[in-house]
Amino acid sequence: MTRKIFTAIIALLPVALHAQEIGANFNHDPEIIDLTYLRKTPVEWIRTTPYIFEYIRGEKDPSTEPGLQKVIDAQKAGYKVAFGFRWDFKKYKLPIPAPGSAEEKKYFGVAAAILERVGPYVSIFKLGNEPNLETMEPDLQVNAAGIVPLVRFTERLLNEVVLPYYKKHPALKHPDIYAGSLPALFEKVQQQKPGVAGLIRLAQENRNIRGLSIHLHISDSLEMDEAFRFVRSIMPHKPIIVPEFSLFRLYNRHVSDELGDSPAGISFASKYHYAPGMKLYEWYSKANTERVSAAEWADMFASRSWFPPHFMQTYYRYFQRYGVVLATYGFLSQSAPAKVGPKTPIWFVNPIFPMKSLQPQADGSFTPNPLWFDDFVDIVNHGNKK
């Protein structure tokens, strides 16, 4: 059923006229950017969004942080960079600061210092990362003054930090600026948040903002379609970028399945000498601690009736239909917990090079993910031709 859902409504989607480039996503860890592995694929873009509170709290220095140097080195090596900050207000239980306050001046000062270092190397600047999940709830709502604090903060970041930097350096090429990145837009609870709709309207109405950034971590294509339709109901024509996408929610639904819950699963368990009653999360734990072969990895997912092969091609068709100009996909392993349980987030299935879960190749290099690698290279090449 899941496989049918992923293809059933493609023909019903509206047509877009933009190119769809595909790049490599390094999430919040620019220090893991690796040119050796980037060169094993035809990607031309990289994306990263550092945790800015690590700089605000003094844990990292904008002038010396090696991760920022990795961004610079990648651009100098010929890669285009999509860059922004993750503002973890909710993590630290912090309200968004009032305009002109000491806190805002401190935050914007750090953002400006980071931009002073990486600004010349950025092709896309993103004004946030998952703010609807990382902002305290009151700041996503309309306040007594009729303002949504998140939307005001985002616009002030643009007007007080980003635009002044590039005005001060007129010789630099001005990056395309995107509002967002907004995840889970298929959920009605997210669609009803004033902060979410407000950021989409900001992208639509502000002439200095090129478009909107969204994330598509989904369980089926109906969720992807709903997210795009919601965005296009407010921002009909401006470009969309998708810095993160995956079937993360689908994996999470099946983490407690037994390996032998189907004839194909029983065959897999027998081939690799596992008990049919072994839970999938137990197998994940084994993969993340001992590392498994690429053949076993591929065979396990092939034995799952719910796993849709070639999902990247499905994503790419949606990107074409809905005017996505750039999407970046997880490239190297980051979170791969040794102890996986029924509630562990299953991010580690995604990377193009899941080196924490797969055995290395004979020469010691990271093994490409057999689930995605060929389709990833194919859609990257397709986007590069536009």
Side-chain angles (χ1 to χ4, degrees), residues 110-186:
V110 172
I114 296 173
L115 202 53
E116 282 291 340
R117 187 168 178 202
V118 303
Y121 310 98
V122 173
S123 295
I124 284 178
F125 188 88
K126 299 180 290 88
L127 292 170
N129 184 79
E130 300 194 338
N132 47 327
L133 303 185
E134 298 302 333
T135 301
M136 302 284 279
E137 191 61 30
D139 289 333
L140 293 165
Q141 304 297 325
V142 179
N143 65 15
I147 299 295
V148 179
L150 171 63
V151 178
R152 179 175 59 189
F153 178 83
T154 302
E155 190 166 22
R156 284 182 61 77
L157 177 64
L158 171 68
N159 293 333
E160 300 295 323
V161 179
V162 182
L163 295 180
Y165 171 80
Y166 287 100
K167 184 177 181 180
K168 186 172 68 174
H169 300 283
L172 295 178
K173 187 179 184 301
H174 195 296
D176 288 335
I177 298 171
Y178 284 79
S181 299
L182 297 170
L185 293 184
F186 54 85

Side-chain angles (χ1 to χ4, degrees), residues 11-261:
L12 303 178
L13 303 180
V15 177
L17 301 175
H18 302 280
Q20 291 76 42
E21 294 186 89
I22 303 295
N25 171 35
F26 294 92
N27 287 307
H28 318 303
D29 301 317
E31 61 272 13
I32 71 170
I33 293 170
D34 191 318
L35 296 179
T36 298
Y37 287 93
L38 282 169
R39 293 184 180 118
K40 292 179 182 290
T41 70
V43 296
E44 297 179 359
W45 281 91
I46 65 166
R47 174 261 184 174
T48 187
T49 53
Y51 295 107
I52 193 168
F53 275 101
E54 293 182 344
Y55 295 86
I56 292 170
R57 293 160 63 90
E59 297 162 16
K60 294 182 177 179
D61 185 338
S63 64
T64 61
E65 171 55 35
L68 299 182
Q69 188 60 47
K70 287 290 190 79
V71 173
I72 296 167
D73 292 344
Q75 193 277 342
K76 288 182 176 179
Y79 294 95
K80 292 171 282 190
V81 176
F83 186 86
F85 305 122
R86 184 180 181 95
W87 295 88
D88 283 309
F89 291 110
K90 188 174 183 179
K91 175 180 178 179
Y92 296 105
K93 297 181 172 54
L94 292 170
I96 286 180
S101 65
E103 291 86 356
E104 187 195 64
K105 290 178 181 177
K106 179 180 179 181
Y107 296 172
F108 285 175
V110 172
I114 296 173
L115 202 53
E116 282 291 340
R117 187 168 178 202
V118 303
Y121 310 98
V122 173
S123 295
I124 284 178
F125 188 88
K126 299 180 290 88
L127 292 170
N129 184 79
E130 300 194 338
N132 47 327
L133 303 185
E134 298 302 333
T135 301
M136 302 284 279
E137 191 61 30
D139 289 333
L140 293 165
Q141 304 297 325
V142 179
N143 65 15
I147 299 295
V148 179
L150 171 63
V151 178
R152 179 175 59 189
F153 178 83
T154 302
E155 190 166 22
R156 284 182 61 77
L157 177 64
L158 171 68
N159 293 333
E160 300 295 323
V161 179
V162 182
L163 295 180
Y165 171 80
Y166 287 100
K167 184 177 181 180
K168 186 172 68 174
H169 300 283
L172 295 178
K173 187 179 184 301
H174 195 296
D176 288 335
I177 298 171
Y178 284 79
S181 299
L182 297 170
L185 293 184
F186 54 85
E187 294 179 352
K188 294 300 181 185
V189 67
Q190 296 297 335
Q191 295 179 6
Q192 293 166 1
K193 290 182 187 293
V196 169
L199 284 179
I200 303 174
R201 283 194 296 270
L202 179 66
Q204 169 66 17
E205 297 168 4
N206 191 304
R207 62 183 179 85
N208 292 307
I209 298 178
R210 175 69 171 156
L212 185 75
S213 176
I214 69 172
H215 291 174
L216 291 171
H217 299 299
I218 61 170
S219 61
D220 63 50
S221 61
L222 298 179
E223 292 175 346
M224 180 160 50
D225 189 58
E226 176 61 24
F228 277 127
R229 289 183 183 275
F230 174 65
V231 171
R232 288 304 185 202
S233 72
I234 301 173
M235 191 187 76
H237 304 299
K238 279 190 171 184
I240 296 171
I241 62 173
V242 182
E244 297 182 21
F245 61 101
S246 78
L247 296 176
F248 168 74
R249 290 171 182 262
L250 179 62
Y251 316 144
N252 287 347
R253 286 185 176 183
H254 294 279
V255 70
S256 293
D257 290 1
E258 294 183 351
L259 289 183
D261 62 0

